Amino acid sequence: ITYEATDACGNTASASMKLTVVDDDPPVVVCNDETVVALTSDGTALVYAESFDDGSYDNCCLESILVRRMGDATFGPSVTFICTDSEVMVELQARDCYGNVNTCMVSARIQDKVAPAIVCPADQTIDCESDYSDLSIFGQPQVVDNCGFEIVESSVSDIDNCGTGTIKRTWTAMGTGGGGVTACTQTIT
């Protein structure tokens, strides 16, 4: 910057100086109060930093928005959640183009919304003299779930004195992560 001064007699003098403009204001980081994260069919969820951001900004130039799980050493573009997570605190970081940083905290609530998949053994027809006291000999269901499951078996017999009728075996699979309930039925005639 050059300053120039002139007095009443017309004499002029000038002086120059160097002015350095510095951005030392950190960005304003704005976090969601809470973010709900749904696990996928493989029991994980990859969530990008932008999902936790609620409008962070900077007065000059916002360079990046990064995130990390509390306790992790480094920030990155995303965080991963798994079946054993239920509520996880994450830290959101906003960095401007001049290295100024600010952070805020977000609670991530992890949910398993994927119901177990269950396939019952095929229906069977047996003769009326067969021993059906051990129903396990007629097969067991195949169950797959992203975060594990519990299974409950029940059966209803409608067999007359002659040994004819049906047995309906029902299996109910419940996702241990809260993913829902699925059931199937096998009929033994």
Side-chain angles (χ1 to χ4, degrees), residues 1-7 10-17:
I1 295 176
T2 301
Y3 291 95
E4 187 175 83
T6 305
D7 65 14
N11 299 314
T12 303
S14 65
S16 295
M17 63 177 276

Side-chain angles (χ1 to χ4, degrees), residues 65-142:
I65 301 283
L66 300 173
V67 68
R68 71 177 176 187
R69 292 169 69 111
M70 288 304 299
D72 285 357
T74 59
F75 286 92
S78 62
V79 290
T80 300
F81 300 99
I82 58 175
C83 289
T84 55
D85 293 329
S86 59
E87 189 161 337
V88 177
M89 290 302 291
V90 296
E91 187 176 12
L92 187 69
Q93 178 194 73
R95 177 180 297 274
D96 71 12
C97 298
Y98 301 99
N100 300 306
V101 175
N102 205 351
T103 62
C104 62
M105 309 285 276
V106 180
S107 174
R109 200 164 33 109
I110 316 308
Q111 295 180 348
D112 174 17
K113 297 181 178 184
V114 179
I118 186 169
V119 177
C120 275
D123 292 346
Q124 295 191 27
T125 301
I126 59 174
D127 64 51
C128 60
E129 295 169 359
S130 296
D131 180 13
Y132 53 84
S133 61
D134 180 9
L135 294 177
S136 68
I137 63 173
F138 300 107
Q140 294 296 318
Q142 300 296 315

Side-chain angles (χ1 to χ4, degrees), residues 114-116 118 150 171-175 178-183:
V114 179
I118 186 169
E150 295 177 9
W171 290 273
T172 304
M174 298 161 283
V181 177
T182 307

